[in-house]
């Protein structure tokens, strides 16, 4: 598996890249992160539960998961957390998802509620719009898991994807220590589908790439055909804002030369309730069998929500490809490309 942690707003985000093995996704043992579980009093709201406190959770094994709903690395971890919660809830496991937003639209509770419903998340969610819970845990990554014993001590944590078998063994150990009986000793067999499917790490050569002016990189002023690997260009009436580029007139395009099985784009309509039609090409042609879950074989799709859109999932063979997206309507905000 190829993965690293990259700096985002003085925080660290688990991000796929082409070099280095899983070194940076290993647990970091520091006194701030392996100690007493902090309280959740800084949460700005709760979904699926009344507010929970560290005190009332004493005596239970708790798994705390930091996430934000457009993070591709968290989306690929989610099926494991969902499976663990279902499997071990009868034995006393409590999962708490702490939703700490990356983008401004992820602060919108209706967006988070919709995402949780669509992703079948039924466990308690602490809304952490002010980063208070994030800071209390000294957390620095999406996704991140904290394993808390019945005495309220953080016994282990993991940043990023992977390490699923060892994580589940830790759940089993801490449940047994808490006095649970009949705890299963096997590990779950998970088959992630759609955006939850594991990345094709062997063919992944393109990094997460931000488009807004705050963290934009690899943007060039060149025709699409002349882009080199991992360069992108925009044509049309685009305005670069802090977190996104925004299209003012119809016909705007973005091109990206990439190397990966999957290509996703986090985007949404600039005006609530509006829709933006678009069409995708790969190497100048409709994607056909390479289309992602949010477009058809001709490359047609519609932006109607602020979320991550899966635009391409290629069958073998994976090579350098030219991705192009043209927006039929104005009013789209495009935030970040992610790959898998």
């Amino acid at each position: 598996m190829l993965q690293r942690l990259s700096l985002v707003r003085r925080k660290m985000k688990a991000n796929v890249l082409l070099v280095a093995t899983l070194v940076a996704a290993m647990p970091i043992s520091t006194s701030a992160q392996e100690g007493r579980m902090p309280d959740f009093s800084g949460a700005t709201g709760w979904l699926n539960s009344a507010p929970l406190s560290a005190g009332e959770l004493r005596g239970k094994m708790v798994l705390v998961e930091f996430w934000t709903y457009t993070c591709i690395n968290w989306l690929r971890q989610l099926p494991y957390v969902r499976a663990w919660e279902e499997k071990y809830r009868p034995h006393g496991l409590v999962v708490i998802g702490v939703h700490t937003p990356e983008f401004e639209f992820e602060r919108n509770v209706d967006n988070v509620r919709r995402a949780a419903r669509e992703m079948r998340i039924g466990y308690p969610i602490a809304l952490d719009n002010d980063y208070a819970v994030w800071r209390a845990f000294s957390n620095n990554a999406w996704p991140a898991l904290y394993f808390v014993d019945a005495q309220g001590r953080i016994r282990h944590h993991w940043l990023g994807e992977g390490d699923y078998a060892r994580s589940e063994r830790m759940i089993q150990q801490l449940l047994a220590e808490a006095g649970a009986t009949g705890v299963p000793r096997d590990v779950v067999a998970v088959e992630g589908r759609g955006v939850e499917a594991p990345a094709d790490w062997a063919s992944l050569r393109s990094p997460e790439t931000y488009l807004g002016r705050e963290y934009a990189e690899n943007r060039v002023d060149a025709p699409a055909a002349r882009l080199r690997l991992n360069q992108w260009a925009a044509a049309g009436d685009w305005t670069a804002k802090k977190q996104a580029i925004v299209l003012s007139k119809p016909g705007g395009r973005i091109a990206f030369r990439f190397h990966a099985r999957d290509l996703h784009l986090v985007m949404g309509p600039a005006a609530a309730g509006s829709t933006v039609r678009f069409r995708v090409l790969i190497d100048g042609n409709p994607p056909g069998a390479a289309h992602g879950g949010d477009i058809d074989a001709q490359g047609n799709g519609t932006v109607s929500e602020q979320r991550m859109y899966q635009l391409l999932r290629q069958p073998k063979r994976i090579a350098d490809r030219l991705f192009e997206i043209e927006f039929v309507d104005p009013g789209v905000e495009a935030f970040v490309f992610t790959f898998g």
Side-chain angles (χ1 to χ4, degrees):
M1 180 187 294
L2 307 178
Q3 182 164 311
R4 76 166 191 178
L5 303 178
S6 64
L7 187 63
V8 179
R9 296 194 206 134
R10 300 181 303 280
K11 301 178 285 293
M12 301 293 285
K13 180 169 183 179
N15 178 36
V16 176
L17 209 55
L18 56 149
V19 292
T21 52
L22 193 56
V23 173
M26 296 174 64
I28 303 169
S29 294
T30 68
S31 57
Q33 293 177 305
E34 301 283 348
R36 186 69 59 185
M37 180 176 73
D39 203 62
F40 299 94
S41 57
T44 55
W46 287 79
L47 299 177
N48 300 335
S49 171
L52 298 172
S53 68
E56 65 187 290
L57 291 166
R58 195 68 54 86
K60 299 181 181 295
M61 192 256 140
V62 180
L63 176 62
V64 179
E65 168 203 36
F66 282 87
W67 63 293
T68 189
Y69 80 83
T70 62
C71 175
I72 183 58
N73 306 97
W74 169 76
L75 285 163
R76 294 193 290 244
Q77 182 189 80
L78 173 60
Y80 289 89
V81 176
R82 203 166 46 213
W84 295 336
E85 197 273 340
E86 180 179 351
K87 180 178 179 180
Y88 296 106
R89 183 186 344 112
H91 302 279
L93 173 67
V94 177
V95 176
I96 297 177
V98 180
H99 185 273
T100 310
E102 178 174 12
F103 300 114
E104 283 299 316
F105 65 80
E106 291 175 305
R107 298 176 184 273
N108 184 318
V109 65
D110 290 333
N111 284 346
V112 182
R113 184 181 290 110
R114 172 184 52 78
R117 182 177 62 252
E118 292 176 353
M119 297 169 187
R120 296 179 287 115
I121 300 172
Y123 48 82
I125 298 171
L127 301 174
D128 189 30
N129 282 0
D130 296 334
Y131 279 76
V133 183
W134 176 286
R135 290 191 299 269
F137 275 77
S138 298
N139 186 55
N140 55 14
W142 296 284
L145 298 174
Y146 292 82
F147 300 78
V148 184
D149 67 16
Q151 285 71 50
R153 299 171 299 184
I154 299 173
R155 297 277 295 277
H156 175 71
H157 72 280
W158 181 261
L159 308 182
E161 301 175 57
D163 202 46
Y164 299 119
R166 183 163 65 149
S167 293
E168 187 167 359
R169 297 294 186 201
M170 178 60 65
I171 292 171
Q172 295 169 354
Q173 175 186 328
L174 296 184
L175 285 173
E177 290 181 11
T181 58
V183 177
R185 305 306 298 174
D186 61 331
V187 296
V188 297
V190 170
E191 183 180 355
R193 300 190 177 188
V195 296
E196 296 179 359
D200 183 355
W201 301 104
S203 67
L204 187 53
R205 301 287 184 273
S206 291
E208 185 173 59
T209 301
Y210 289 82
L211 308 185
R213 66 171 183 266
E214 185 175 27
Y215 296 111
E217 56 185 348
N218 297 333
R219 181 175 182 173
V220 297
D221 184 12
R226 289 170 52 188
L227 294 177
R228 296 193 302 241
L229 181 63
N230 297 328
Q231 290 182 335
W232 66 279
D237 193 358
W238 293 94
T239 300
K241 296 190 174 182
K242 183 178 180 180
Q243 294 189 339
I245 58 174
V246 184
L247 182 63
S248 300
K249 296 180 181 179
R253 300 187 304 278
I254 305 173
F256 196 119
R257 191 170 296 278
F258 75 104
H259 190 119
R261 182 195 65 197
D262 303 340
L263 180 147
H264 317 99
L265 181 56
V266 175
M267 55 184 173
S274 64
T275 58
V276 179
R277 295 167 296 165
F278 65 86
R279 187 181 183 206
V280 164
L281 299 175
I282 182 169
D283 291 338
N285 300 305
H291 74 90
D294 286 304
I295 63 174
D296 63 22
Q298 294 303 309
N300 299 306
T302 302
V303 176
S304 57
E305 301 166 335
Q306 295 165 314
R307 62 177 176 87
M308 191 191 77
Y309 289 77
Q310 186 188 70
L311 302 179
L312 295 176
R313 168 155 286 173
Q314 300 185 78
K316 300 289 185 179
R317 130 179 121 84
I318 309 304
D320 291 5
R321 304 288 189 195
L322 178 62
F323 165 85
E324 295 175 274
I325 183 169
E326 180 174 7
F327 295 94
V328 178
D329 305 307
V332 71
E333 296 178 314
F335 293 82
V336 59
F337 282 100
T338 61
F339 302 90

